[in-house]
Amino acid sequence: QVRLVESGGGLVQPGGSLQLSCTASESIASINVVGWYRQAPGKQRELVASVRNSGYTYYTDSVKGRFIISRDNAKSTVSLQMNSLKSEDTGVYYCVADLYPTGAHYWGQGTQVTVSS
C-alpha cells in the first residue's frame, strides 16, 4: 500500500503561482503513471495532469501551457507547478499513483487550492 502525502496548497490571487508536492511512502519507480486529480466545488473530479516513467505527460486542456508536472523517482516525489492561476483552478488537488482510465489505485488526502482576490 503506497501512502501519498500532498503539500503546498493555499490561497493565491488570480495570476499567481503555487507548487504542489507529493511524497510517497515507498518508491514510485515501479509505478508507471502518477499524477494529480482535482475536485472543484459542484463539479466532477478530473485528471489535471499525469506523467509516465517514459516522461510522457498529459494535461487537461484547461491547464495546458500553465501547469507543469514532474516526478523524481529517486526521491519518490511528484510535483505540480501551477502558474497563471485562475479562479476556476480552485479545488481540492489529489496526488494519485498507478492510474487507470477512470481513476487510480492510490490517492493522497488532498490539498486545498483557492484562487481568489
Side-chain angles (χ1 to χ4, degrees), residues 1 18 20 23 32 42 47 66 94 109 112:
Q1 184 81 5
L18 276 177
L20 304 183
T23 301
N32 188 26
L47 178 63
R66 300 189 296 122
Y94 298 91
Q109 82 285 354
Q112 177 70 45

Side-chain angles (χ1 to χ4, degrees), residues 73-101:
N73 287 348
K75 296 181 179 179
S76 294
T77 58
V78 185
S79 298
L80 185 68
Q81 177 65 42
M82 306 187 293
N83 302 317
S84 301
L85 283 161
K86 305 176 181 179
S87 57
E88 51 263 44
D89 294 318
T90 293
V92 180
Y93 284 70
Y94 298 91
C95 178
V96 292
D98 196 13
L99 275 70
Y100 51 86

Side-chain angles (χ1 to χ4, degrees), residues 43-95:
K43 294 186 178 181
Q44 283 190 320
R45 71 184 182 190
E46 66 171 337
L47 178 63
V48 176
S50 65
V51 57
R52 295 178 178 267
N53 265 326
S54 65
Y56 176 83
T57 55
Y58 161 84
Y59 296 96
T60 193
D61 285 345
S62 64
V63 308
K64 286 179 180 176
R66 300 189 296 122
F67 289 14
I68 301 171
I69 188 170
S70 61
R71 64 188 291 170
D72 186 332
N73 287 348
K75 296 181 179 179
S76 294
T77 58
V78 185
S79 298
L80 185 68
Q81 177 65 42
M82 306 187 293
N83 302 317
S84 301
L85 283 161
K86 305 176 181 179
S87 57
E88 51 263 44
D89 294 318
T90 293
V92 180
Y93 284 70
Y94 298 91
C95 178

Side-chain angles (χ1 to χ4, degrees), residues 11-29:
L11 173 64
V12 63
Q13 291 187 342
S17 297
L18 276 177
Q19 183 174 51
L20 304 183
S21 297
C22 171
T23 301
S25 60
E26 56 187 75
S27 174
I28 61 172

